[in-house]
Amino acid sequence: MGFHQYHEPPEELSKETRTFARMITSVVEEAEAIGWYEQRISIETDEEAKAIMKNAQQEEMKHFGMDLEFLLRRKPEWRTILKAVLFTKGDIIENAKKGEEKAEK
């Protein structure tokens, strides 16, 4: 069974680009799983089941973060932008604009 993560012929892509595509796919899959758990948690009435789902969701968030960190280590300009956005106070859009300006320098 083939994967549909490539938009260009895989055999023409470098090993690094194929790895990058797999990691992007992993980020997307982890984000989807986080969302699915959020929906399940919001309607679950059994507290033990809900606790297990919350634990599983935390694991997915950890995986999301690890995947993202992998990508940011390969794209320093992305790290510059996200440093201006994540874990900061203030207007998110303005912070992103400042981060983009820093990345362009």
Side-chain angles (χ1 to χ4, degrees):
M1 181 170 105
F3 292 99
H4 300 290
Q5 65 195 23
Y6 302 117
H7 296 280
E8 300 296 332
E11 63 278 0
E12 294 182 27
L13 300 173
S14 69
K15 178 183 177 212
E16 292 79 14
T17 299
R18 290 191 313 271
T19 296
F20 192 85
R22 284 191 290 273
M23 293 305 290
I24 289 287
T25 299
S26 291
V27 167
V28 170
E29 290 170 349
E30 299 298 347
E32 285 178 336
I34 293 164
W36 294 334
Y37 277 115
E38 190 67 20
Q39 292 177 44
R40 292 172 190 157
I41 291 164
S42 75
I43 61 171
E44 184 55 59
T45 57
D46 183 291
E47 290 304 315
E48 184 176 24
K50 187 181 280 194
I52 292 168
M53 289 180 214
K54 285 181 179 181
N55 180 271
Q57 186 185 44
Q58 293 272 352
E59 284 296 308
E60 302 299 350
M61 181 59 75
K62 179 181 75 176
H63 299 157
F64 177 89
M66 291 166 42
D67 293 344
L68 183 59
E69 179 62 22
F70 178 92
L71 294 168
L72 294 178
R73 289 181 182 189
R74 280 144 182 86
K75 296 285 188 181
E77 64 277 14
W78 291 4
R79 182 179 299 281
T80 299
I81 295 166
L82 290 184
K83 276 186 173 181
V85 175
L86 299 174
F87 313 110
T88 61
K89 295 186 189 282
D91 185 274
I92 294 170
I93 294 171
E94 286 303 314
N95 290 347
K97 287 179 186 176
K98 292 175 187 172
E100 288 174 323
E101 290 168 5
K102 285 182 185 177
E104 291 173 358
K105 291 181 183 178

